[in-house]
Amino acid sequence: SNLESLLDFFSDIKPSENAERILRDRYLLKDGEGKYLEHSWDDIARRVSRYIASAEILYNDDIEKIRDVEEKFYKLLKSRVFLPNSPTLFNSGKTLSRDVFQKNREDMSLEDYKKIFNSRNRHNMLSACFVVPLEDSMEGIFDAVKDAALIQKYGGGVGYDFSVLRPKESSIAGTGGKSSGPISFMHVFNTTASTIEQGGARRGAQMAVMRYDHPDVIDFINSKKNNDGKSVLNYFNISVNFDNPEEFLKKLENDEEIELTHPNSNIKRTIKAKELFDLIANNAWKSGDPGMLFLGRHNKYYALSDVTPVSATNPCGEEPLPPYGSCNLGSIDIAKVIDFVELGNPEGENNDLFKELIYWTARFLDDVIDINVYPLEKIDRVSKEQRFIGLGIMGLADAMYKKDLPYNSEEGRMFMAETLAQFAYYSHLASSELAKERGNFPLFEKSKYKNGFIPFSMLNDDYSENIRQWNNLIKEHFFGEGKKYKRNVQVNTVAPTGSISNLADTSSGIEPNFMLAYIRYMTDKEGNRVPLPYMNKILRDKLDGDLNSELEAEIIEKGSLQNIEGIPEEIKKVFVTSMDISGMDHLLAQNVIQSYLDASCSKTINLPKEATVDDIKEIYKKAMELNLKGITIYRDGSLETQVLTKAKKE
Ligand code: UDP
């Protein structure tokens, strides 16, 4: 079996009705009058593959080769085995005349590709993740508001470090007045995001980060306290940054105080570590915010931390970036791949196929960097000097259903760990391969890679025999070829895939399924609400003859199998949902997965409604003890809507 046969196999499977609906609502291009210019997923696959492949002219003047690359990209997309983040789907080639995409591939000339590449303009912004720096000055702050507005207009998410701003009531030299403080400026960014949303393609999501020792940290932690999901700072997720969580844990244990200071201010406060921690946990219990972020750990695994340390993450937390960094994401649906490849086994039969798939998806994302039009000159520079890509996976939960592996079990976690180790290894091989063909990322010589550097923590060798073998291969790579060749400073990220997993008809990112069955209401042409029942297709196959309309109705009503009589125990154990799994099991999954990601992953630790503040503290402490890069919890029912869940529900 080879890559072609995998891609051909899934190209023949049509998008579900649900995927078609999302395509019609949000992805198919329309003209100014709302008339559709595109009619099917195939049209999008053609447009995006041709547009992105035209970046190949920078490296390649063999027309046959460029056409082949276009065909490869087309098949990756058409099969829905790989999907780039939404901005790439929205904005690739969007202002070009349709004729360009109707031409047969065999008739495409080098000139045609050049024309496409040179046609790009500011409407062709393709990335989902940005970090915009703030400056502690009025001018600096409002420059950032403008930068963020431009990014959000085209569907990108932005993260900011608000620690930079001096605390409220600090003196301002220029005016003799007092600063209104970081939280007041967060409201400015929030209002801007809500204004942009009115005209934009999607919700503007933002991340606000603040250091734990900033004098306004208490106001920050309380800033979303009264949020009901719709009113207060609802375009923000907030996270408190602890550069050194081990040190904070010690302070907690010894009941020590923390000094809150800021370099541009005389204001000094103190707070007990315990009080700060209580406040964070209480608010998270109430509304999910704030999360905790450990940027020190992010920097530890970032190859340019000595040059441009990362200062925040994007809104969903998966992508740490330095000021003016950007990243374009893309995700491989491993629930499809697993039909062809035995994932996680170093001696697995079709490993070459997976390796090749990863090479082509990495090449796609590397091309996106070149054809992308960045909203700011400074972002263009940082993005091209470092060449971040965020290659990730989706469909983990569905893949595990297929293999009868419970998400909340030791064997399940072993599968996650081994699969991610394999994924990371192949992805970094691909980035080195691309470097041989196209050159290293320009700042390579200043990076830690040069001296032999592994950009993720890895699990211990004794975790499993497969892990030991992957670890050896990984070490060999980073202390061998990886010291010479690297095309991208960061390679792997697991995105939420809130929308694209729906397009791919698969489970989102690395999350368990939220529900196994539900009814979605659609509006038909006459304006009637029509129920569209949905059931996880792997479950449907598994239940097969046992499934009748009564049972289906019960699964829809309960969303989970756990309290349904008559379903075999083996099925119940495997087909778990987010809410069937304990918070600790969510966290342990995040831990093994994150051990093989150089960037990070989007993960929500879902907790039942009855979870207590102490439960949350225990989870946050565990996240600090283990080597997690950050943590986000969500207690069932604590908000009607949330930035993340809302984004996920599109
Ligand atoms: N994002 C955003 N607004 C949204 C959804 C996502 O700005 O409504 C950004 C955000 O930075 C997030 C990233 O896009 O972390 C990836 O989100 P996701 O994978 O859900 O996007 P998709 O490509 O599936 O639309």
Side-chain angles (χ1 to χ4, degrees):
S1 194
N2 56 27
L3 182 57
E4 295 295 310
S5 51
L6 169 109
L7 298 179
D8 289 344
F9 178 85
F10 288 107
S11 293
D12 289 340
I13 297 176
K14 286 206 179 75
S16 68
E17 236 176 286
N18 180 42
E20 289 284 1
R21 178 186 63 88
I22 297 170
L23 280 178
R24 278 196 305 275
D25 287 356
R26 300 182 44 214
Y27 290 87
L28 296 176
L29 287 187
K30 294 178 194 157
D31 67 13
E33 272 86 58
K35 195 173 141 269
Y36 283 106
L37 298 169
E38 288 177 327
H39 306 280
S40 65
W41 176 241
D42 190 66
D43 289 342
I44 295 182
R46 272 176 209 286
R47 167 170 55 86
V48 177
S49 57
R50 179 155 297 174
Y51 186 73
I52 304 301
S54 73
E56 295 272 331
I57 58 156
L58 298 178
Y59 308 106
N60 216 332
D61 51 18
D62 179 343
I63 180 65
E64 294 287 335
K65 279 205 185 122
I66 299 179
R67 287 185 200 139
D68 285 352
V69 171
E70 182 192 318
E71 184 173 8
K72 199 68 113 208
F73 289 174
Y74 167 73
K75 286 186 172 179
L76 287 173
L77 299 176
K78 171 78 188 202
S79 64
R80 297 177 297 150
V81 166
F82 166 80
L83 290 182
N85 56 209
S86 289
T88 302
L89 296 173
F90 292 147
N91 300 331
S92 286
K94 126 171 128 180
T95 46
L96 283 167
S97 115
R98 294 305 92 200
D99 314 344
V100 179
F101 300 108
Q102 270 140 19
K103 196 163 181 174
N104 284 333
R105 201 171 297 128
E106 310 85 74
D107 300 332
M108 287 294 287
S109 66
L110 211 49
E111 275 313 306
D112 290 332
Y113 283 112
K114 281 186 183 155
K115 243 192 238 155
I116 295 177
F117 186 78
N118 294 326
S119 75
R120 63 203 201 285
N121 62 40
R122 70 197 159 82
H123 298 291
N124 304 119
M125 200 293 283
L126 308 179
S127 296
C129 309
F130 295 83
V131 164
V132 168
L134 300 177
E135 240 179 63
D136 191 20
S137 71
M138 208 45 109
E139 214 183 323
I141 294 168
F142 283 91
D143 276 348
V145 171
K146 180 182 165 197
D147 298 347
L150 289 175
I151 291 168
Q152 289 172 49
K153 180 174 173 192
Y154 296 108
V158 197
Y160 321 86
D161 176 16
F162 277 89
S163 318
V164 174
L165 307 187
R166 74 193 70 185
K168 118 178 137 205
E169 303 289 311
S170 307
S171 314
I172 298 167
T175 62
K178 302 273 183 204
S179 162
S180 56
I183 317 304
S184 69
F185 290 112
M186 280 168 64
H187 288 275
V188 175
F189 283 88
N190 199 68
T191 307
T192 308
S194 100
T195 312
I196 301 289
E197 187 191 1
Q198 325 288 317
R202 66 172 174 175
R203 195 183 160 83
Q206 306 180 101
M207 167 69 93
V209 175
M210 186 178 273
R211 289 177 59 92
Y212 75 105
D213 57 359
H214 187 287
D216 284 357
V217 73
I218 304 203
D219 288 352
F220 180 74
I221 296 167
N222 285 331
S223 66
K224 290 192 68 178
K225 194 172 168 183
N226 299 320
N227 182 36
D228 57 3
K230 290 184 236 161
S231 51
V232 184
L233 293 176
N234 54 328
Y235 290 85
F236 269 110
N237 292 316
I238 63 171
S239 267
V240 181
N241 172 35
F242 294 83
D243 262 328
N244 187 340
E246 290 84 359
E247 186 186 278
F248 182 70
L249 273 175
K250 268 199 209 112
K251 289 195 170 160
L252 268 183
E253 257 164 48
N254 304 335
D255 199 19
E256 285 176 50
E257 289 200 322
I258 295 169
E259 282 210 15
L260 311 178
T261 58
H262 191 279
N264 301 350
S265 171
N266 293 326
I267 294 174
K268 283 193 175 47
R269 303 193 169 96
T270 53
I271 185 171
K272 285 211 157 178
K274 199 176 149 309
E275 256 176 77
L276 187 73
F277 191 52
D278 282 355
L279 193 65
I280 292 174
N282 268 295
N283 284 359
W285 181 87
K286 247 181 122 176
S287 69
D289 276 307
M292 286 174 108
L293 180 65
F294 311 126
L295 283 177
R297 288 175 180 171
H298 278 291
N299 275 313
K300 183 172 166 193
Y301 296 111
Y302 166 49
L304 283 168
S305 61
D306 302 334
V307 185
T308 55
V310 298
S311 59
T313 68
N314 70 324
C316 305
E318 69 272 21
E319 185 65 24
L321 290 167
Y324 296 117
S326 81
C327 186
N328 61 92
L329 315 174
S331 305
I332 293 177
D333 179 8
I334 64 160
K336 294 190 177 92
V337 175
I338 206 165
D339 291 346
F340 286 72
V341 181
E342 175 198 353
L343 294 170
N345 178 355
E347 269 120 49
E349 208 182 316
N350 283 324
N351 279 356
D352 282 352
L353 184 166
F354 193 33
K355 197 191 247 176
E356 201 187 333
L357 172 65
I358 287 174
Y359 170 82
W360 283 104
T361 53
R363 182 154 166 173
F364 180 102
L365 295 176
D366 197 60
D367 283 344
V368 171
I369 299 173
D370 293 315
I371 200 166
N372 203 355
V373 181
Y374 301 86
L376 284 175
E377 189 50 42
K378 283 177 276 196
I379 297 179
D380 184 282
R381 188 169 56 78
V382 175
S383 306
K384 287 179 181 158
E385 277 177 356
Q386 307 200 22
R387 305 191 70 88
F388 303 86
I389 57 171
L391 180 59
I393 60 165
M394 54 184 166
L396 174 70
D398 279 359
M400 292 176 75
Y401 288 168
K402 283 187 176 174
K403 293 289 154 190
D404 293 319
L405 292 164
Y407 192 95
N408 52 342
S409 68
E410 203 45 61
E411 47 167 347
R413 282 190 285 276
M414 205 173 277
F415 169 80
M416 298 177 197
E418 292 168 359
T419 300
L420 265 289
Q422 178 176 30
F423 187 68
Y425 175 56
Y426 290 171
S427 302
H428 278 277
L429 285 186
S431 181
S432 294
E433 202 53 45
L434 286 166
K436 281 186 215 160
E437 296 161 18
R438 303 175 164 190
N440 286 326
F441 64 89
L443 293 188
F444 179 85
E445 285 301 318
K446 293 188 178 161
S447 79
K448 299 188 235 173
Y449 286 127
K450 193 171 126 280
N451 303 315
F453 169 68
I454 302 178
F456 40 80
S457 59
M458 305 204 289
L459 293 165
N460 289 335
D461 282 356
D462 58 14
Y463 185 83
S464 73
E465 174 51 25
N466 285 347
I467 282 295
R468 193 186 60 77
Q469 289 190 34
W470 289 124
N471 285 356
N472 283 343
L473 290 165
I474 287 167
K475 283 179 221 158
E476 220 173 273
H477 170 71
F478 284 105
F479 290 97
E481 192 167 75
K483 285 168 76 167
K484 280 196 286 199
Y485 302 106
K486 205 51 77 185
R487 179 69 177 159
N488 315 90
V489 69
Q490 264 174 190
V491 178
N492 290 137
T493 306
V494 179
T497 70
S499 303
I500 60 166
S501 63
N502 282 304
L503 293 182
D505 289 309
T506 195
S507 61
S508 53
I510 49 163
E511 295 287 9
N513 281 290
F514 205 74
M515 279 184 279
L516 289 167
Y518 52 82
I519 294 185
R520 212 187 262 273
Y521 288 91
M522 272 181 62
T523 314
D524 69 10
K525 284 196 194 95
E526 284 80 48
N528 305 312
R529 258 162 67 89
V530 190
L532 192 70
Y534 161 86
M535 180 178 286
N536 181 282
K537 56 188 187 307
I538 305 151
L539 177 64
R540 189 180 284 281
D541 291 348
K542 197 76 76 166
L543 290 173
D544 194 28
D546 297 337
L547 195 65
N548 53 42
S549 55
E550 226 168 282
L551 182 58
E552 188 162 343
E554 195 175 355
I555 301 174
I556 287 175
E557 190 202 318
K558 297 190 168 145
S560 154
L561 302 182
Q562 302 310 308
N563 298 317
I564 299 180
E565 268 174 50
I567 294 195
E569 273 314 306
E570 321 82 85
I571 296 191
K572 280 189 185 174
K573 252 169 89 177
V574 169
F575 286 84
V576 287
T577 66
S578 296
M579 284 303 166
D580 298 335
I581 294 172
S582 75
M584 215 37 99
D585 277 318
H586 278 286
L587 183 136
L588 293 175
Q590 182 180 337
N591 183 46
V592 297
I593 289 168
Q594 216 164 55
S595 302
Y596 289 95
L597 291 170
D598 51 1
S600 191
C601 56
S602 161
K603 176 88 189 83
T604 305
I605 309 297
N606 282 102
L607 299 169
K609 208 173 178 134
E610 315 75 65
T612 63
V613 174
D614 279 339
D615 293 338
I616 290 171
K617 282 192 199 164
E618 198 193 333
I619 296 224
Y620 278 1
K621 272 192 188 160
K622 191 84 183 169
M624 289 191 266
E625 283 160 21
L626 295 172
N627 204 17
L628 295 201
K629 288 174 168 172
I631 184 133
T632 307
I633 64 118
Y634 179 67
R635 189 174 59 89
D636 191 22
S638 55
L639 282 186
E640 279 170 45
T641 51
Q642 205 193 8
V643 177
L644 305 190
T645 45
K646 187 152 183 191
K648 274 181 202 163
K649 277 191 243 149
E650 27 72 48

